[in-house]
Amino acid sequence: MSAIPETIPRRGGAREARRAARSAELPDHLKPVRPGMNGGRYKPLSEADVLKIHHAALDALETIGFADAPQSGIDAMVKMGAKLTDSGRLLFPRALVEDTVANAARHFVLHGQDPKYDMEPWGDKVYFGTAGAAVHMVDAKTGAYRESTTQDLYNIARVVDTLEHLHFYQRSVVCRDLPLPEEMDFNTTYACVSGTTKHVGASWVAPEHLEQSLKMLHMIAGGEDKWRERPFVSQSNCFVVPPMKFAFDACKCLEVAVRGGMPVLLLSAGQAGATAPASLAAALVQETAECLAGLVYVNAIKPKAPAMFGTWCFVSDLRTGAMSGGSPEQALLSAASAQISRYYDLTGGTASGMTDSKVPDAQCGMERAYNHALVGNAGANLIYESAGMMASLMGFSLESLLIDNDLIGAVQRTIRGIEVTDESISLDTMRQVCLEGPGHYLGSDQTLQLMQRDYIYPTLGDRSSPNQWEERGRPSLVDRASTKLEGILSTHYPTHIPQHIDEAIRAQFPVRLPREAMRAG
Amino acid sequence: MSAIPETIPRRGGAREARRAARSAELPDHLKPVRPGMNGGRYKPLSEADVLKIHHAALDALETIGFADAPQSGIDAMVKMGAKLTDSGRLLFPRALVEDTVANAARHFVLHGQDPKYDMEPWGDKVYFGTAGAAVHMVDAKTGAYRESTTQDLYNIARVVDTLEHLHFYQRSVVCRDLPLPEEMDFNTTYACVSGTTKHVGASWVAPEHLEQSLKMLHMIAGGEDKWRERPFVSQSNCFVVPPMKFAFDACKCLEVAVRGGMPVLLLSAGQAGATAPASLAAALVQETAECLAGLVYVNAIKPKAPAMFGTWCFVSDLRTGAMSGGSPEQALLSAASAQISRYYDLTGGTASGMTDSKVPDAQCGMERAYNHALVGNAGANLIYESAGMMASLMGFSLESLLIDNDLIGAVQRTIRGIEVTDESISLDTMRQVCLEGPGHYLGSDQTLQLMQRDYIYPTLGDRSSPNQWEERGRPSLVDRASTKLEGILSTHYPTHIPQHIDEAIRAQFPVRLPREAMRAG
């Protein structure tokens, strides 16, 4: 066969028309993709499967329950109907869990500092963002790993701020230049919210650190009431130490977030074969049970407080016990978890795209892509860890972040799907081309109309021919990303926080990012 | 959050047990994946969408029809009920098409020379293989392109012969060292069937070339009757020049294949926005109409002759008119086409994984992977072009072929899905671990049972930590592939065709591959 049509006429007229068509900027609603595309066409689980997992999770909560709840949580949850056993485990009767799900907050907006980045992550809508917490930055060209810093965290925020297909920024790297936990927690939040106006996710190791950050967030919002109207930072909270134990400090942070009007990502990060069962179905049961327990906790502290159902079940390479973020089993677990949160009509958050590769190579590309294609098309509402993460979350690559933006755009295009309408399947164009026209569709009205609305183009991906690529000196993808990255880092310094607010923050709190690091030099 | 559990106990006992478990070779039926996994959990089209496309295709066949049918085809198809217009177009009444679909061959085996490679590509079963026709071999390390040769074609066959997740071998590259078409056609078949015992696909530009190849295939099979019992080569046939014109020479070859007992892949390779409509839905309509016309042709020549429904709709980058094999629109078209052939209960063949990148980099990995993840999970029966192809089918990389074998294994694991059974969701293991056991699942009986049955491991993909990778000198994926490739090429010389048969073939036909190129030097 000849795979490439050999004789496509290349008439100047059609070319000119295409050139004119693509020079016109499209309004947002006509772009090929937009934030919050509707997924759900991939269903790894049947409806019966989801129900089985749900019932097994209720059984686990009722008969195994949780160890290690803090006294404040025990008091609140027992009041709602939980039962404390003699051995100190908290059991959750079915009715308590079912009532909690029925009455929990749903369909709440996750705000950006800029309202144009507000997200509505419910139903089948899909948003992609970063997460963490890598401890290294990766040199994409050499593969060298070095410790990550506050400056890196801020730089990643600035880059995410410019990328069309990254919809939120959860802190990606740990500020290893700040060994004091209270400084690290505060500066993590500061660097993120200074670097982007998109919704931010962060985490805190102690409740008093969160209280300090909330004070800063009130200042940025223009007062506590304004913050509570549009909270633009959510808390990523590992309230559970899988299997089935509460994490004391995280639970205390959870209580502060709930009372402070901050949405909470209830993050159950078990690892199948290590801290969760090796059976993928049983791992989903445990994840579901754990997130439901977190939901009970949140609603016991404050009914209808906004919480995301964070079923982040990781995968072990069972030969070594180490995490394998890029595995196909990971894609299945994350995609299935989207169906489970959808069953509860809760905002679901999960992880996807966590390659095991150390550099942005073909392994990285493929592992991210089969995960994103399936998790995105399953309709996960909030897809964390989706860009830049290397080595199963151990490192972060800025070049990969740019490359992954292309990938997410492409995956969003697949989520959008194919519109089959009377207009889109009309035979008029085919009839004209075959019976009257030039015998091809290159310059047809339909082609010109659809070339920007229905087709997405990569910003870094190269579609030139081998000859054209050769003539340009065989530029590598990483080099192309690196060039683009330098342009962003040297020019994009967000200024949405007014200088007097920033000065007031610096006067009151231990900001460690120098002002000169936050403007063009 | 702490993504990686910090304190997984690493007890010698659990490690030892895992080591013992994985040293046992699994029987085929217990392996994590096998050829012909059942897809179908991803449905880009609704049932109503499929019906709309079907009806529009019937309209197109009835009212637009095909130009340029050879007289032999006109005679055969008019006899069945097709109508020739004054302008020479052949129109296909609905009833003719519907009767053809109802009576066409379905559920036929595609044979390998070795029966263990027989494929049963129907229902939702999914097989992956190569295709062509690249005109260059790619140096994966430098990005240099050079013309492909007969030796390359044979070498690729040998490598495919060793790869677990490549289920058939369609000729991947053009023998550009053989400028005479008859020599090229014959030697293409010879190199493929000599290099692998898996099912082979090939193509021919003239009917007499195919007749010559058939004589050789009879000799290899042990006689024409044996060949007809188990035809192990199928013809990839571009019977249509989209839009809606028959290709004269290809149709003549099709007639010879059908009469010679060779299964035919009815390959409609339109390109959306160029030779097919830019509207993805309309492109599917045209593809469907074209393959249905091919099916009428085949069945008019010989009722129930085996034919595959080859809806290979390619995609144009509408900015340039060039093909974009790696695009997300391609993933949608190929995945949707799987649903259409499933609707007809015909064996569907489509293309996936045709990256636009020139080298096996992150772009290559991601483009192949989101295509494979979606096309595979859609349940396409025969997925062509799935490995090794570069630059939108312009080049072939052997290193990529090895890397893509890993990818396909991983995608097959996602196709297998998650078994939710009473056993797999049992709380026994969780209860024991949480209430009585060590608080983790590393050494549990379930983990040991499932580590080889439920989890797949890459052969080239690296899952080591940054430190471990650093200690090994940061080996690149392409270098790892290259090392493995050298091992295969220097040792794997298939000997399934007995020497006396090969000598008889060489005595009778213009074999251009020297015998010394076909054994270890």
Side-chain angles (χ1 to χ4, degrees):
Chain A
M1 52 146 276
S2 165
I4 298 165
E6 282 156 37
T7 54
I8 300 172
R10 302 285 168 98
R11 300 184 320 167
R15 269 213 174 158
E16 273 311 305
R18 290 199 303 275
R19 196 166 290 137
R22 76 169 179 269
S23 67
E25 177 72 20
L26 282 183
D28 276 0
H29 72 283
L30 289 181
K31 284 186 175 167
V33 301
R34 57 183 187 283
M37 306 299 301
N38 283 95
R41 293 192 186 86
Y42 168 57
K43 294 190 199 300
L45 301 176
S46 69
E47 286 180 31
D49 291 343
V50 173
L51 277 177
K52 275 186 196 167
I53 289 166
H54 163 64
H55 287 299
L58 292 186
D59 282 351
L61 285 168
E62 196 162 49
T63 62
I64 299 173
F66 266 59
D68 297 349
Q71 191 60 47
S72 55
I74 292 173
D75 293 346
M77 288 186 271
V78 165
K79 203 167 153 190
M80 301 301 294
K83 299 190 189 321
L84 194 66
T85 67
D86 294 343
S87 60
R89 292 191 80 91
L90 204 56
L91 303 181
F92 301 79
R94 239 158 227 271
L96 167 60
V97 179
E98 286 169 343
D99 287 353
T100 299
V101 170
N103 296 314
R106 40 176 56 84
H107 302 199
F108 49 88
V109 172
L110 289 178
H111 301 276
Q113 287 182 73
D114 186 333
K116 79 178 173 193
Y117 293 127
D118 284 0
M119 299 187 287
E120 299 182 345
W122 55 79
D124 287 321
K125 282 182 283 191
V126 180
Y127 297 87
F128 289 87
T130 58
V135 291
H136 293 104
M137 292 297 289
V138 184
D139 183 319
K141 292 180 191 176
T142 65
Y145 277 56
R146 65 162 173 81
E147 294 196 351
S148 51
T149 66
T150 314
Q151 182 73 48
D152 293 321
L153 184 66
Y154 174 66
N155 286 349
I156 301 168
R158 294 194 289 139
V159 177
V160 166
D161 199 54
T162 69
L163 295 177
E164 178 179 359
H165 306 304
L166 273 290
H167 307 127
F168 61 91
Y169 180 49
Q170 183 150 311
R171 73 91 192 261
S172 302
V173 295
V174 174
C175 305
R176 295 183 73 185
D177 52 334
L178 301 179
L180 290 178
E182 58 269 32
E183 288 200 358
M184 184 193 284
D185 276 1
F186 178 83
N187 282 279
T188 293
T189 310
Y190 176 85
C192 292
V193 298
S194 300
T196 182
T197 61
K198 297 182 180 181
H199 184 80
V200 158
S203 76
W204 292 263
V205 298
E208 58 275 21
H209 303 174
L210 174 55
E211 277 162 1
Q212 186 186 42
S213 292
L214 276 167
K215 284 180 194 157
M216 171 181 64
L217 296 174
H218 297 165
M219 291 168 73
I220 294 172
E224 181 171 350
D225 53 336
K226 300 279 187 198
W227 156 261
R228 285 182 180 269
E229 269 172 35
R230 295 181 47 82
F232 50 86
V233 177
S234 54
Q235 182 186 50
S236 179
N237 187 292
C238 285
F239 67 97
V240 54
V241 181
M244 308 290 272
K245 295 190 294 290
F246 281 111
F248 186 89
D249 290 337
C251 288
K252 301 307 286 182
C253 287
L254 179 144
E255 295 178 12
V256 173
V258 167
R259 296 202 173 97
M262 180 180 274
V264 175
L265 172 67
L266 293 166
L267 187 40
S268 161
Q271 189 176 306
T275 54
S279 153
L280 298 186
L284 287 168
V285 169
Q286 182 178 305
E287 290 292 303
T288 303
E290 289 174 343
C291 285
L292 287 171
L295 199 70
V296 170
Y297 200 140
V298 164
N299 283 275
I301 298 295
K302 185 177 166 190
K304 290 199 183 298
M308 287 83 89
F309 205 73
T311 37
W312 287 34
C313 195
F314 294 123
V315 167
S316 301
D317 185 310
L318 294 176
R319 301 169 302 183
T320 61
M323 173 178 165
S324 172
S327 62
E329 295 84 6
Q330 181 68 64
L332 287 167
L333 285 172
S334 293
S337 83
Q339 284 182 275
I340 293 168
S341 52
R342 183 79 178 92
Y343 168 72
Y344 296 125
D345 192 18
L346 295 171
T347 291
T350 192
S352 174
M354 305 167 289
T355 181
D356 297 320
S357 187
K358 267 55 71 185
V359 284
D361 59 4
Q363 180 187 347
C364 167
M366 74 170 68
E367 290 178 345
R368 274 205 224 294
Y370 61 68
N371 273 274
H372 281 352
L374 297 178
V375 179
N377 275 287
N381 300 131
L382 297 166
I383 300 182
Y384 293 86
E385 310 285 13
S386 74
M389 296 306 274
M390 310 303 304
S392 269
L393 308 184
M394 294 291 283
F396 192 92
S397 160
L398 281 161
E399 286 82 359
S400 192
L401 176 63
L402 297 190
I403 294 167
D404 301 337
N405 180 62
D406 265 6
L407 167 61
I408 295 168
V411 167
Q412 284 181 288
R413 179 66 190 86
T414 68
I415 295 172
R416 173 174 155 191
I418 299 174
E419 289 87 11
V420 181
T421 62
D422 289 347
E423 190 194 345
S424 73
I425 61 167
S426 158
L427 297 185
D428 292 348
T429 302
M430 195 193 302
R431 190 171 281 122
Q432 192 191 355
V433 163
C434 291
L435 301 182
E436 305 156 27
H440 66 82
Y441 297 83
L442 277 170
S444 80
D445 288 347
Q446 189 190 55
T447 301
L448 297 173
Q449 275 167 25
L450 299 184
M451 67 175 290
Q452 282 195 297
R453 273 169 39 192
D454 277 15
Y455 289 73
I456 193 168
Y457 305 99
T459 57
L460 285 170
D462 189 303
R463 292 179 169 181
S464 62
S465 72
N467 281 347
Q468 292 164 331
W469 185 66
E470 175 75 34
E471 280 163 17
R472 288 186 289 120
R474 303 178 192 164
S476 82
L477 177 62
V478 168
D479 284 345
R480 299 194 303 270
S482 188
T483 302
K484 187 168 178 204
L485 177 62
E486 283 164 25
I488 296 170
L489 286 179
S490 62
T491 57
H492 187 67
Y493 289 91
T495 55
H496 54 281
I497 299 178
Q499 192 172 338
H500 71 280
I501 303 284
D502 191 61
E503 278 165 11
I505 292 169
R506 284 172 184 269
Q508 198 172 339
F509 303 108
V511 173
R512 293 289 172 253
L513 201 60
R515 278 202 67 87
E516 51 272 26
M518 299 174 71
R519 56 193 168 209
Chain B
M1 54 146 277
S2 166
I4 299 162
E6 281 156 39
T7 53
I8 300 171
R10 300 288 167 95
R11 301 184 322 169
R15 271 216 169 151
E16 272 312 305
R18 290 199 304 274
R19 195 167 291 135
R22 75 168 181 269
S23 67
E25 177 72 20
L26 282 183
D28 275 359
H29 73 284
L30 288 182
K31 284 186 176 167
V33 301
R34 56 183 188 281
M37 306 300 300
N38 283 94
R41 292 191 187 85
Y42 168 57
K43 295 191 199 302
L45 302 176
S46 68
E47 285 180 32
D49 291 342
V50 173
L51 278 177
K52 276 187 194 164
I53 289 166
H54 164 63
H55 287 298
L58 292 187
D59 282 351
L61 284 168
E62 195 162 50
T63 63
I64 300 174
F66 266 60
D68 299 348
Q71 192 58 48
S72 54
I74 292 173
D75 294 345
M77 288 187 271
V78 165
K79 202 166 155 191
M80 301 303 293
K83 297 190 188 324
L84 194 65
T85 68
D86 293 344
S87 61
R89 293 191 80 91
L90 204 57
L91 304 181
F92 302 80
R94 239 157 226 272
L96 167 60
V97 179
E98 286 169 342
D99 287 353
T100 301
V101 170
N103 297 316
R106 39 177 56 85
H107 302 197
F108 49 87
V109 172
L110 289 178
H111 301 275
Q113 289 182 73
D114 185 332
K116 79 178 172 193
Y117 294 127
D118 285 1
M119 298 186 287
E120 300 182 344
W122 55 79
D124 288 321
K125 281 181 283 190
V126 180
Y127 297 86
F128 289 87
T130 58
V135 291
H136 294 103
M137 292 297 287
V138 183
D139 183 320
K141 291 180 192 176
T142 66
Y145 277 58
R146 66 163 172 81
E147 294 196 351
S148 51
T149 67
T150 314
Q151 182 74 48
D152 293 320
L153 184 66
Y154 174 66
N155 286 348
I156 301 169
R158 293 195 288 138
V159 177
V160 166
D161 199 54
T162 69
L163 295 178
E164 179 180 359
H165 306 304
L166 273 291
H167 306 127
F168 61 91
Y169 180 49
Q170 184 150 312
R171 73 92 190 261
S172 302
V173 296
V174 174
C175 306
R176 294 183 73 183
D177 52 333
L178 301 178
L180 290 177
E182 58 269 32
E183 288 201 357
M184 185 195 284
D185 277 359
F186 178 84
N187 282 280
T188 293
T189 310
Y190 176 84
C192 292
V193 298
S194 300
T196 181
T197 60
K198 297 183 181 182
H199 184 79
V200 158
S203 76
W204 293 263
V205 298
E208 57 274 22
H209 303 175
L210 174 55
E211 277 161 2
Q212 186 186 41
S213 292
L214 276 167
K215 283 180 194 156
M216 169 181 64
L217 296 174
H218 298 165
M219 291 168 73
I220 294 172
E224 182 172 349
D225 53 335
K226 299 279 187 201
W227 155 259
R228 285 181 179 271
E229 269 170 36
R230 295 182 46 84
F232 50 85
V233 177
S234 54
Q235 182 185 51
S236 178
N237 187 291
C238 286
F239 67 97
V240 55
V241 181
M244 309 290 272
K245 296 190 293 289
F246 281 111
F248 186 89
D249 289 338
C251 288
K252 301 307 288 182
C253 287
L254 179 144
E255 294 178 12
V256 174
V258 166
R259 294 199 174 98
M262 179 181 276
V264 175
L265 172 67
L266 292 167
L267 187 39
S268 161
Q271 189 175 305
T275 54
S279 153
L280 299 185
L284 287 169
V285 169
Q286 181 177 306
E287 290 292 302
T288 303
E290 289 174 346
C291 286
L292 287 171
L295 199 70
V296 171
Y297 200 140
V298 164
N299 283 276
I301 298 296
K302 186 177 167 191
K304 291 197 182 299
M308 286 82 89
F309 204 71
T311 36
W312 287 34
C313 195
F314 293 124
V315 167
S316 301
D317 185 309
L318 294 176
R319 301 169 302 181
T320 60
M323 173 178 165
S324 171
S327 61
E329 295 84 6
Q330 181 68 64
L332 287 168
L333 285 172
S334 293
S337 83
Q339 283 182 275
I340 293 169
S341 53
R342 183 78 178 91
Y343 168 72
Y344 295 124
D345 193 17
L346 295 170
T347 291
T350 193
S352 175
M354 305 167 290
T355 183
D356 298 318
S357 187
K358 268 55 71 184
V359 283
D361 59 3
Q363 179 187 348
C364 167
M366 74 170 69
E367 289 178 346
R368 275 206 222 295
Y370 61 68
N371 273 275
H372 281 353
L374 297 179
V375 179
N377 276 286
N381 301 132
L382 296 165
I383 300 182
Y384 294 86
E385 309 286 14
S386 74
M389 298 305 274
M390 310 303 304
S392 270
L393 309 183
M394 295 291 284
F396 191 93
S397 160
L398 281 161
E399 285 82 359
S400 193
L401 177 63
L402 296 191
I403 295 168
D404 301 338
N405 179 61
D406 265 5
L407 167 61
I408 294 168
V411 167
Q412 284 182 289
R413 179 64 190 87
T414 69
I415 295 171
R416 172 175 156 192
I418 300 174
E419 289 87 11
V420 181
T421 63
D422 288 346
E423 189 193 345
S424 71
I425 61 166
S426 159
L427 298 185
D428 291 349
T429 302
M430 195 193 304
R431 190 171 281 123
Q432 192 191 354
V433 163
C434 291
L435 303 182
E436 306 157 25
H440 66 82
Y441 299 83
L442 278 169
S444 80
D445 288 347
Q446 190 190 55
T447 301
L448 297 172
Q449 276 168 25
L450 299 183
M451 66 175 290
Q452 283 194 296
R453 272 169 41 192
D454 277 15
Y455 287 74
I456 192 168
Y457 305 98
T459 56
L460 285 170
D462 188 302
R463 293 180 169 180
S464 62
S465 72
N467 280 346
Q468 292 165 331
W469 186 64
E470 175 74 35
E471 279 163 17
R472 287 187 289 117
R474 303 179 192 164
S476 82
L477 177 62
V478 168
D479 284 346
R480 299 194 304 269
S482 187
T483 301
K484 187 167 179 203
L485 177 63
E486 282 163 26
I488 297 169
L489 286 178
S490 63
T491 57
H492 187 67
Y493 289 90
T495 56
H496 54 281
I497 298 177
Q499 191 171 338
H500 70 278
I501 303 283
D502 190 63
E503 277 165 12
I505 292 170
R506 286 171 181 270
Q508 198 172 339
F509 303 107
V511 172
R512 292 290 171 254
L513 201 60
R515 279 202 67 87
E516 50 274 25
M518 300 174 69
R519 55 193 168 208

